[in-house]
Every structure is written in C-alpha cells, then in structure tokens.
Amino acid sequence: MDKNSRIFIAGHRGMVGSAIKRKLESNGYTNLLCKTHNGLDLTDQKAVNEFFQSEKPEYVFLAAAKVGGILANSTYPAEFIYQNIMIEANVIHAAYTYGAKKLLFLGSSCIYPKFAPQPMKEEYLLTGELEVTNEAYAIAKIAGIRLCKHYNQQYGTNFMSVMPTNLYGQNDNFDLESSHVMPALIRKFHEAKVEGKPEIVIWGTGLPRREFLHVDDMADACVHLMENYDESDVGEFVNIGVGKDITIQELAELIGDIVGYEGEIVYDTSKPDGTPQKLLDVSRLNGLGWEARISLKDGITETYEWYKSGNEPA
Ligand code: GFB
C-alpha cells in the first residue's frame, strides 16, 4: 500500500473500523474513503456498486457487520444472518468487479465448532456443530470467508480473511441488552459503584472461558497483514488473538478491582453460557511476525477511562 492509495474502511464508525482508521492515519495514509451508514447502505447492492465504480478503492478493510453479544445474537438471528450476508456479498463482489488490489475480511472466533479442541487452530473450521446462540452470525461469517476463498480460487483475487477473538476497547457498544460481556461488565460495575449497590448480577455460571483482545491490537494486526502479506501467505484465513483466556468470573473480578467495586457478584444462571471455551491458537499469526502487546489489565483500564469520559463513537 502506498501512503496515498485509495483505502476503503467499511464500517469506519464501529469499534474495529474506527481503530483501523486511527492506525492508518497514524501510519501516514492520507486517502481514506469512509462512508457513514446514511451515506452508503452496504446491504444495498446497487449503492455499493455505484460507490465502487466512482471511488475505485484499491484496498478494502471489510469491518462492517451487524454484531452483538450472546443475547442479541440469539434474539435477532434473522437480522444477523441477513445483514451480514448482504454486506459481505455486496462488498466482496464489488471489490472483485471494480478491481480492488487487496481486501481484508473480518470473521470471528465464534464460527468454530462449539466443542472444538482448544486452543483452536485454523483447520478446525467446519469440523463440528456450531454454538446455537450465535449460529446465524457464524453461518454468515463462514459465508464471507468462503466468498473470499472462492473468489481467489476462481478469479485470482487477493482477498484475505482474519479471525479475531472477542474484542473490546473504545467505541464498543455499552448497551446492556445488546453488548458483549466486556462493555456490559464495565458499565454494570461502574453503575453499581456510583449507585452504591450491594451486588451486581452476571449472566450465566461465570465458568465459560473467553479470550479478549484490545481493538488497537486488532487494528495493528490488520494493518500489518495488509501492508506485508497476500492471501497466498495467510492460507485461507488467520486467527488474531492473544493465545490466553480467562473465565467470566475472573474477568468480573478483574473489572471489579479496576473499577473499585467492593460489593458482591451474583450469577443469573437462567441466562445462557454460550460456548464453554473460545481460545485461539495464534501460532500462524506469530509466524507472520505479529503478536499482541496490550495487557488485559491495561486494556480494561484504558477502556474504563474512555467509558467514564463519556466519549461518543468516532
Ligand atoms: O460476550 P458475550 O455476550 O458473547 O458473552 P459470546 C460471553 C459470556 O459472558 C457468556 C457471559 O457466557 C455470557 O453469559 N456474561 C456474563 C455476559 N454477564 C454478561 C453480561 O452482562 N452481558 C453479556 N453480553 N454477557 C458472542 C457471539 O459470543 O461473541 C457473537 O454471540 C460474537 O456472535 C462475539 O462472536 C465475539 O462470547 O458468548
């Protein structure tokens, strides 16, 4: 990528897209193409084609997606499968049609089988049943990965896919119904502390294990891959994570310490646990010269400060 290459960040207002934008800007890229949802509806094929025809992006970061936590995924499966499939199909096909040089598609670690051996290697994809709470989203993301693979195979495109673990950081969604566990717990602990509540409620048993990657590390990895590698180097896709996980209970205790909450933690076992463990094998990524730098404690502290400062999404 040259510093003045035309780079399209699909989803630049989301948590991941905004972090990629910050990273590209700090690396000196000057020609970033960004469109708000009102300016360009990525589920509208005609609009996407017109955008690609007029702007001819050379590099595409496909970070736009309908995302959410365990409750949103299981409550609105039709929206998750429809919107994600439409966005992926439209953007990937337009990138091919209008000759993008390279595209980076973001998958998700939840697309591996529910009971995949841990840590999960790239080759475990499609070797078993999916987790029911996010099956719709997972099917859509698998479709995106296979779109890239088959366009490369048939048309000789250079479309890479990456498989991030659970992400967190600034511009995350802190809505308690639709968010992931990290922002939900930061908010719950903060409000409980401010309001002097004697206990806070965590969903599920607290026993599931999750791996958390700060979104600035994620953006750094995406830009590193885009700058230095082609699809033939990464294989079908590459995991992006830290290679370490913790239980939801340990996460809650860590957030409680950072926030300074001294009340009790109780577990609402009527809420789903989801996949028992999600831990990525990151050896392929390490072999491509990248590893995560931001510790969980530092990342949560920074995210909590951002949350408290009342920042609006970029
Ligand atoms: O982050 P999360 O919503 O999604 O939940 P997944 C992770 C774990 O935290 C589950 C528990 O075991 C939840 O039951 N948990 C505890 C909570 N308290 C809370 C809370 O207040 N809010 C939330 N949200 N969870 C998602 C997928 O799975 O991961 C998506 O549904 C996506 O498709 C995303 O892949 C990365 O890690 O279970």
PDB file of all heavy atoms in Angstrom, residues 134-161:
ATOM      1  N   ASN A 134     -25.180 -18.346  18.575  1.00  0.00           N
ATOM      2  CA  ASN A 134     -24.716 -17.436  17.505  1.00  0.00           C
ATOM      3  C   ASN A 134     -24.601 -18.132  16.147  1.00  0.00           C
ATOM      4  O   ASN A 134     -23.818 -17.725  15.305  1.00  0.00           O
ATOM      5  CB  ASN A 134     -23.430 -16.707  17.891  1.00  0.00           C
ATOM      6  CG  ASN A 134     -22.250 -17.606  18.114  1.00  0.00           C
ATOM      7  OD1 ASN A 134     -21.418 -17.344  18.969  1.00  0.00           O
ATOM      8  ND2 ASN A 134     -22.126 -18.693  17.364  1.00  0.00           N
ATOM      9  N   GLU A 135     -25.452 -19.144  15.935  1.00  0.00           N
ATOM     10  CA  GLU A 135     -25.343 -19.887  14.680  1.00  0.00           C
ATOM     11  C   GLU A 135     -25.597 -19.001  13.454  1.00  0.00           C
ATOM     12  O   GLU A 135     -24.888 -19.099  12.450  1.00  0.00           O
ATOM     13  CB  GLU A 135     -26.332 -21.059  14.686  1.00  0.00           C
ATOM     14  CG  GLU A 135     -26.059 -21.996  13.543  1.00  0.00           C
ATOM     15  CD  GLU A 135     -27.282 -22.800  13.142  1.00  0.00           C
ATOM     16  OE1 GLU A 135     -28.130 -22.253  12.392  1.00  0.00           O
ATOM     17  OE2 GLU A 135     -27.373 -23.945  13.550  1.00  0.00           O
ATOM     18  N   ALA A 136     -26.581 -18.122  13.546  1.00  0.00           N
ATOM     19  CA  ALA A 136     -26.926 -17.294  12.386  1.00  0.00           C
ATOM     20  C   ALA A 136     -25.741 -16.408  11.980  1.00  0.00           C
ATOM     21  O   ALA A 136     -25.365 -16.324  10.805  1.00  0.00           O
ATOM     22  CB  ALA A 136     -28.143 -16.426  12.706  1.00  0.00           C
ATOM     23  N   TYR A 137     -25.151 -15.767  12.969  1.00  0.00           N
ATOM     24  CA  TYR A 137     -23.990 -14.902  12.722  1.00  0.00           C
ATOM     25  C   TYR A 137     -22.819 -15.721  12.186  1.00  0.00           C
ATOM     26  O   TYR A 137     -22.130 -15.321  11.240  1.00  0.00           O
ATOM     27  CB  TYR A 137     -23.624 -14.226  14.045  1.00  0.00           C
ATOM     28  CG  TYR A 137     -22.421 -13.332  14.012  1.00  0.00           C
ATOM     29  CD1 TYR A 137     -22.471 -12.074  13.423  1.00  0.00           C
ATOM     30  CD2 TYR A 137     -21.223 -13.730  14.608  1.00  0.00           C
ATOM     31  CE1 TYR A 137     -21.361 -11.243  13.429  1.00  0.00           C
ATOM     32  CE2 TYR A 137     -20.107 -12.908  14.612  1.00  0.00           C
ATOM     33  CZ  TYR A 137     -20.191 -11.662  14.022  1.00  0.00           C
ATOM     34  OH  TYR A 137     -19.085 -10.850  14.029  1.00  0.00           O
ATOM     35  N   ALA A 138     -22.614 -16.893  12.785  1.00  0.00           N
ATOM     36  CA  ALA A 138     -21.482 -17.734  12.379  1.00  0.00           C
ATOM     37  C   ALA A 138     -21.630 -18.200  10.926  1.00  0.00           C
ATOM     38  O   ALA A 138     -20.662 -18.174  10.156  1.00  0.00           O
ATOM     39  CB  ALA A 138     -21.360 -18.933  13.317  1.00  0.00           C
ATOM     40  N   ILE A 139     -22.827 -18.593  10.547  1.00  0.00           N
ATOM     41  CA  ILE A 139     -23.048 -19.046   9.162  1.00  0.00           C
ATOM     42  C   ILE A 139     -22.730 -17.899   8.197  1.00  0.00           C
ATOM     43  O   ILE A 139     -22.094 -18.094   7.154  1.00  0.00           O
ATOM     44  CB  ILE A 139     -24.520 -19.510   8.968  1.00  0.00           C
ATOM     45  CG1 ILE A 139     -24.791 -20.773   9.796  1.00  0.00           C
ATOM     46  CG2 ILE A 139     -24.842 -19.715   7.494  1.00  0.00           C
ATOM     47  CD1 ILE A 139     -24.365 -22.083   9.214  1.00  0.00           C
ATOM     48  N   ALA A 140     -23.162 -16.688   8.549  1.00  0.00           N
ATOM     49  CA  ALA A 140     -22.888 -15.533   7.677  1.00  0.00           C
ATOM     50  C   ALA A 140     -21.389 -15.284   7.581  1.00  0.00           C
ATOM     51  O   ALA A 140     -20.858 -15.015   6.488  1.00  0.00           O
ATOM     52  CB  ALA A 140     -23.610 -14.290   8.210  1.00  0.00           C
ATOM     53  N   LYS A 141     -20.689 -15.374   8.705  1.00  0.00           N
ATOM     54  CA  LYS A 141     -19.240 -15.109   8.677  1.00  0.00           C
ATOM     55  C   LYS A 141     -18.492 -16.219   7.930  1.00  0.00           C
ATOM     56  O   LYS A 141     -17.512 -15.948   7.224  1.00  0.00           O
ATOM     57  CB  LYS A 141     -18.706 -14.966  10.106  1.00  0.00           C
ATOM     58  CG  LYS A 141     -19.093 -13.644  10.756  1.00  0.00           C
ATOM     59  CD  LYS A 141     -18.353 -12.489  10.080  1.00  0.00           C
ATOM     60  CE  LYS A 141     -18.658 -11.150  10.681  1.00  0.00           C
ATOM     61  NZ  LYS A 141     -17.977 -10.031  10.014  1.00  0.00           N
ATOM     62  N   ILE A 142     -18.954 -17.454   8.069  1.00  0.00           N
ATOM     63  CA  ILE A 142     -18.338 -18.544   7.299  1.00  0.00           C
ATOM     64  C   ILE A 142     -18.550 -18.284   5.806  1.00  0.00           C
ATOM     65  O   ILE A 142     -17.640 -18.492   4.989  1.00  0.00           O
ATOM     66  CB  ILE A 142     -18.908 -19.917   7.731  1.00  0.00           C
ATOM     67  CG1 ILE A 142     -18.476 -20.235   9.170  1.00  0.00           C
ATOM     68  CG2 ILE A 142     -18.441 -21.022   6.778  1.00  0.00           C
ATOM     69  CD1 ILE A 142     -19.177 -21.439   9.789  1.00  0.00           C
ATOM     70  N   ALA A 143     -19.739 -17.811   5.462  1.00  0.00           N
ATOM     71  CA  ALA A 143     -20.005 -17.483   4.050  1.00  0.00           C
ATOM     72  C   ALA A 143     -19.013 -16.431   3.552  1.00  0.00           C
ATOM     73  O   ALA A 143     -18.504 -16.522   2.425  1.00  0.00           O
ATOM     74  CB  ALA A 143     -21.442 -16.994   3.878  1.00  0.00           C
ATOM     75  N   GLY A 144     -18.723 -15.434   4.377  1.00  0.00           N
ATOM     76  CA  GLY A 144     -17.784 -14.378   3.967  1.00  0.00           C
ATOM     77  C   GLY A 144     -16.388 -14.931   3.724  1.00  0.00           C
ATOM     78  O   GLY A 144     -15.714 -14.564   2.756  1.00  0.00           O
ATOM     79  N   ILE A 145     -15.972 -15.814   4.615  1.00  0.00           N
ATOM     80  CA  ILE A 145     -14.642 -16.415   4.461  1.00  0.00           C
ATOM     81  C   ILE A 145     -14.577 -17.246   3.181  1.00  0.00           C
ATOM     82  O   ILE A 145     -13.605 -17.180   2.418  1.00  0.00           O
ATOM     83  CB  ILE A 145     -14.317 -17.268   5.706  1.00  0.00           C
ATOM     84  CG1 ILE A 145     -14.003 -16.332   6.874  1.00  0.00           C
ATOM     85  CG2 ILE A 145     -13.155 -18.220   5.464  1.00  0.00           C
ATOM     86  CD1 ILE A 145     -13.971 -17.005   8.190  1.00  0.00           C
ATOM     87  N   ARG A 146     -15.650 -17.981   2.938  1.00  0.00           N
ATOM     88  CA  ARG A 146     -15.662 -18.819   1.733  1.00  0.00           C
ATOM     89  C   ARG A 146     -15.838 -17.975   0.460  1.00  0.00           C
ATOM     90  O   ARG A 146     -15.346 -18.347  -0.612  1.00  0.00           O
ATOM     91  CB  ARG A 146     -16.736 -19.901   1.850  1.00  0.00           C
ATOM     92  CG  ARG A 146     -16.338 -20.983   2.851  1.00  0.00           C
ATOM     93  CD  ARG A 146     -15.221 -21.844   2.267  1.00  0.00           C
ATOM     94  NE  ARG A 146     -14.345 -22.425   3.267  1.00  0.00           N
ATOM     95  CZ  ARG A 146     -14.345 -23.700   3.678  1.00  0.00           C
ATOM     96  NH1 ARG A 146     -15.240 -24.535   3.209  1.00  0.00           N
ATOM     97  NH2 ARG A 146     -13.486 -24.116   4.560  1.00  0.00           N
ATOM     98  N   LEU A 147     -16.532 -16.865   0.562  1.00  0.00           N
ATOM     99  CA  LEU A 147     -16.598 -15.953  -0.594  1.00  0.00           C
ATOM    100  C   LEU A 147     -15.179 -15.545  -0.996  1.00  0.00           C
ATOM    101  O   LEU A 147     -14.797 -15.628  -2.165  1.00  0.00           O
ATOM    102  CB  LEU A 147     -17.409 -14.698  -0.258  1.00  0.00           C
ATOM    103  CG  LEU A 147     -18.916 -14.752  -0.442  1.00  0.00           C
ATOM    104  CD1 LEU A 147     -19.572 -13.601   0.312  1.00  0.00           C
ATOM    105  CD2 LEU A 147     -19.281 -14.663  -1.915  1.00  0.00           C
ATOM    106  N   CYS A 148     -14.409 -15.099   0.003  1.00  0.00           N
ATOM    107  CA  CYS A 148     -13.026 -14.679  -0.291  1.00  0.00           C
ATOM    108  C   CYS A 148     -12.242 -15.833  -0.906  1.00  0.00           C
ATOM    109  O   CYS A 148     -11.568 -15.681  -1.933  1.00  0.00           O
ATOM    110  CB  CYS A 148     -12.335 -14.204   0.985  1.00  0.00           C
ATOM    111  SG  CYS A 148     -13.001 -12.659   1.610  1.00  0.00           S
ATOM    112  N   LYS A 149     -12.337 -16.995  -0.295  1.00  0.00           N
ATOM    113  CA  LYS A 149     -11.581 -18.156  -0.779  1.00  0.00           C
ATOM    114  C   LYS A 149     -11.951 -18.494  -2.232  1.00  0.00           C
ATOM    115  O   LYS A 149     -11.082 -18.711  -3.081  1.00  0.00           O
ATOM    116  CB  LYS A 149     -11.883 -19.356   0.130  1.00  0.00           C
ATOM    117  CG  LYS A 149     -11.294 -20.658  -0.362  1.00  0.00           C
ATOM    118  CD  LYS A 149     -11.678 -21.809   0.548  1.00  0.00           C
ATOM    119  CE  LYS A 149     -11.274 -23.138  -0.098  1.00  0.00           C
ATOM    120  NZ  LYS A 149     -11.431 -24.278   0.799  1.00  0.00           N
ATOM    121  N   HIS A 150     -13.247 -18.530  -2.509  1.00  0.00           N
ATOM    122  CA  HIS A 150     -13.658 -18.970  -3.849  1.00  0.00           C
ATOM    123  C   HIS A 150     -13.438 -17.894  -4.909  1.00  0.00           C
ATOM    124  O   HIS A 150     -13.196 -18.226  -6.071  1.00  0.00           O
ATOM    125  CB  HIS A 150     -15.093 -19.480  -3.815  1.00  0.00           C
ATOM    126  CG  HIS A 150     -15.224 -20.729  -2.970  1.00  0.00           C
ATOM    127  ND1 HIS A 150     -14.465 -21.845  -3.196  1.00  0.00           N
ATOM    128  CD2 HIS A 150     -15.980 -21.004  -1.875  1.00  0.00           C
ATOM    129  CE1 HIS A 150     -14.759 -22.776  -2.289  1.00  0.00           C
ATOM    130  NE2 HIS A 150     -15.669 -22.274  -1.469  1.00  0.00           N
ATOM    131  N   TYR A 151     -13.521 -16.615  -4.514  1.00  0.00           N
ATOM    132  CA  TYR A 151     -13.173 -15.560  -5.488  1.00  0.00           C
ATOM    133  C   TYR A 151     -11.682 -15.639  -5.808  1.00  0.00           C
ATOM    134  O   TYR A 151     -11.281 -15.489  -6.961  1.00  0.00           O
ATOM    135  CB  TYR A 151     -13.571 -14.175  -4.965  1.00  0.00           C
ATOM    136  CG  TYR A 151     -15.020 -13.830  -5.265  1.00  0.00           C
ATOM    137  CD1 TYR A 151     -16.053 -14.616  -4.794  1.00  0.00           C
ATOM    138  CD2 TYR A 151     -15.354 -12.718  -6.046  1.00  0.00           C
ATOM    139  CE1 TYR A 151     -17.380 -14.310  -5.082  1.00  0.00           C
ATOM    140  CE2 TYR A 151     -16.676 -12.399  -6.335  1.00  0.00           C
ATOM    141  CZ  TYR A 151     -17.686 -13.204  -5.851  1.00  0.00           C
ATOM    142  OH  TYR A 151     -18.995 -12.903  -6.145  1.00  0.00           O
ATOM    143  N   ASN A 152     -10.871 -15.900  -4.796  1.00  0.00           N
ATOM    144  CA  ASN A 152      -9.432 -16.066  -5.051  1.00  0.00           C
ATOM    145  C   ASN A 152      -9.204 -17.243  -6.001  1.00  0.00           C
ATOM    146  O   ASN A 152      -8.422 -17.160  -6.954  1.00  0.00           O
ATOM    147  CB  ASN A 152      -8.681 -16.339  -3.749  1.00  0.00           C
ATOM    148  CG  ASN A 152      -8.679 -15.145  -2.808  1.00  0.00           C
ATOM    149  OD1 ASN A 152      -8.877 -14.016  -3.231  1.00  0.00           O
ATOM    150  ND2 ASN A 152      -8.461 -15.400  -1.530  1.00  0.00           N
ATOM    151  N   GLN A 153      -9.910 -18.334  -5.716  1.00  0.00           N
ATOM    152  CA  GLN A 153      -9.741 -19.565  -6.482  1.00  0.00           C
ATOM    153  C   GLN A 153     -10.177 -19.377  -7.941  1.00  0.00           C
ATOM    154  O   GLN A 153      -9.452 -19.745  -8.869  1.00  0.00           O
ATOM    155  CB  GLN A 153     -10.626 -20.623  -5.801  1.00  0.00           C
ATOM    156  CG  GLN A 153     -10.490 -22.031  -6.273  1.00  0.00           C
ATOM    157  CD  GLN A 153     -11.585 -22.892  -5.583  1.00  0.00           C
ATOM    158  OE1 GLN A 153     -12.101 -22.558  -4.519  1.00  0.00           O
ATOM    159  NE2 GLN A 153     -11.932 -23.986  -6.214  1.00  0.00           N
ATOM    160  N   GLN A 154     -11.344 -18.771  -8.120  1.00  0.00           N
ATOM    161  CA  GLN A 154     -11.864 -18.678  -9.492  1.00  0.00           C
ATOM    162  C   GLN A 154     -11.372 -17.444 -10.239  1.00  0.00           C
ATOM    163  O   GLN A 154     -11.128 -17.511 -11.449  1.00  0.00           O
ATOM    164  CB  GLN A 154     -13.398 -18.691  -9.464  1.00  0.00           C
ATOM    165  CG  GLN A 154     -14.003 -18.735 -10.866  1.00  0.00           C
ATOM    166  CD  GLN A 154     -15.522 -18.844 -10.857  1.00  0.00           C
ATOM    167  OE1 GLN A 154     -16.126 -19.193  -9.838  1.00  0.00           O
ATOM    168  NE2 GLN A 154     -16.134 -18.550 -12.004  1.00  0.00           N
ATOM    169  N   TYR A 155     -11.227 -16.329  -9.524  1.00  0.00           N
ATOM    170  CA  TYR A 155     -10.926 -15.072 -10.220  1.00  0.00           C
ATOM    171  C   TYR A 155      -9.509 -14.563  -9.972  1.00  0.00           C
ATOM    172  O   TYR A 155      -9.133 -13.510 -10.496  1.00  0.00           O
ATOM    173  CB  TYR A 155     -11.902 -13.977  -9.786  1.00  0.00           C
ATOM    174  CG  TYR A 155     -13.363 -14.291 -10.060  1.00  0.00           C
ATOM    175  CD1 TYR A 155     -14.320 -14.088  -9.068  1.00  0.00           C
ATOM    176  CD2 TYR A 155     -13.792 -14.762 -11.311  1.00  0.00           C
ATOM    177  CE1 TYR A 155     -15.672 -14.351  -9.302  1.00  0.00           C
ATOM    178  CE2 TYR A 155     -15.142 -15.027 -11.539  1.00  0.00           C
ATOM    179  CZ  TYR A 155     -16.065 -14.824 -10.534  1.00  0.00           C
ATOM    180  OH  TYR A 155     -17.381 -15.079 -10.767  1.00  0.00           O
ATOM    181  N   GLY A 156      -8.747 -15.248  -9.117  1.00  0.00           N
ATOM    182  CA  GLY A 156      -7.382 -14.790  -8.851  1.00  0.00           C
ATOM    183  C   GLY A 156      -7.306 -13.495  -8.071  1.00  0.00           C
ATOM    184  O   GLY A 156      -6.317 -12.748  -8.176  1.00  0.00           O
ATOM    185  N   THR A 157      -8.331 -13.210  -7.261  1.00  0.00           N
ATOM    186  CA  THR A 157      -8.301 -12.000  -6.425  1.00  0.00           C
ATOM    187  C   THR A 157      -7.351 -12.203  -5.241  1.00  0.00           C
ATOM    188  O   THR A 157      -6.856 -13.314  -5.021  1.00  0.00           O
ATOM    189  CB  THR A 157      -9.720 -11.698  -5.891  1.00  0.00           C
ATOM    190  OG1 THR A 157     -10.272 -12.915  -5.385  1.00  0.00           O
ATOM    191  CG2 THR A 157     -10.607 -11.136  -6.982  1.00  0.00           C
ATOM    192  N   ASN A 158      -7.125 -11.109  -4.492  1.00  0.00           N
ATOM    193  CA  ASN A 158      -6.219 -11.165  -3.335  1.00  0.00           C
ATOM    194  C   ASN A 158      -7.024 -10.766  -2.095  1.00  0.00           C
ATOM    195  O   ASN A 158      -6.879  -9.670  -1.573  1.00  0.00           O
ATOM    196  CB  ASN A 158      -5.042 -10.216  -3.588  1.00  0.00           C
ATOM    197  CG  ASN A 158      -3.937 -10.372  -2.566  1.00  0.00           C
ATOM    198  OD1 ASN A 158      -4.003 -11.209  -1.677  1.00  0.00           O
ATOM    199  ND2 ASN A 158      -2.913  -9.540  -2.698  1.00  0.00           N
ATOM    200  N   PHE A 159      -7.924 -11.652  -1.665  1.00  0.00           N
ATOM    201  CA  PHE A 159      -8.831 -11.369  -0.560  1.00  0.00           C
ATOM    202  C   PHE A 159      -8.433 -12.251   0.630  1.00  0.00           C
ATOM    203  O   PHE A 159      -8.529 -13.480   0.565  1.00  0.00           O
ATOM    204  CB  PHE A 159     -10.289 -11.661  -0.954  1.00  0.00           C
ATOM    205  CG  PHE A 159     -10.828 -10.780  -2.077  1.00  0.00           C
ATOM    206  CD1 PHE A 159     -12.021 -11.103  -2.717  1.00  0.00           C
ATOM    207  CD2 PHE A 159     -10.159  -9.635  -2.492  1.00  0.00           C
ATOM    208  CE1 PHE A 159     -12.536 -10.301  -3.735  1.00  0.00           C
ATOM    209  CE2 PHE A 159     -10.662  -8.825  -3.514  1.00  0.00           C
ATOM    210  CZ  PHE A 159     -11.858  -9.165  -4.136  1.00  0.00           C
ATOM    211  N   MET A 160      -8.016 -11.592   1.733  1.00  0.00           N
ATOM    212  CA  MET A 160      -7.593 -12.322   2.938  1.00  0.00           C
ATOM    213  C   MET A 160      -8.701 -12.289   3.980  1.00  0.00           C
ATOM    214  O   MET A 160      -9.438 -11.318   4.055  1.00  0.00           O
ATOM    215  CB  MET A 160      -6.383 -11.629   3.578  1.00  0.00           C
ATOM    216  CG  MET A 160      -5.121 -11.697   2.795  1.00  0.00           C
ATOM    217  SD  MET A 160      -3.777 -11.004   3.788  1.00  0.00           S
ATOM    218  CE  MET A 160      -4.032  -9.264   3.562  1.00  0.00           C
ATOM    219  N   SER A 161      -8.736 -13.311   4.822  1.00  0.00           N
ATOM    220  CA  SER A 161      -9.675 -13.286   5.947  1.00  0.00           C
ATOM    221  C   SER A 161      -8.912 -13.429   7.251  1.00  0.00           C
ATOM    222  O   SER A 161      -7.924 -14.166   7.316  1.00  0.00           O
ATOM    223  CB  SER A 161     -10.683 -14.433   5.852  1.00  0.00           C
ATOM    224  OG  SER A 161     -11.489 -14.287   4.712  1.00  0.00           O
TER     225      SER A 161
END
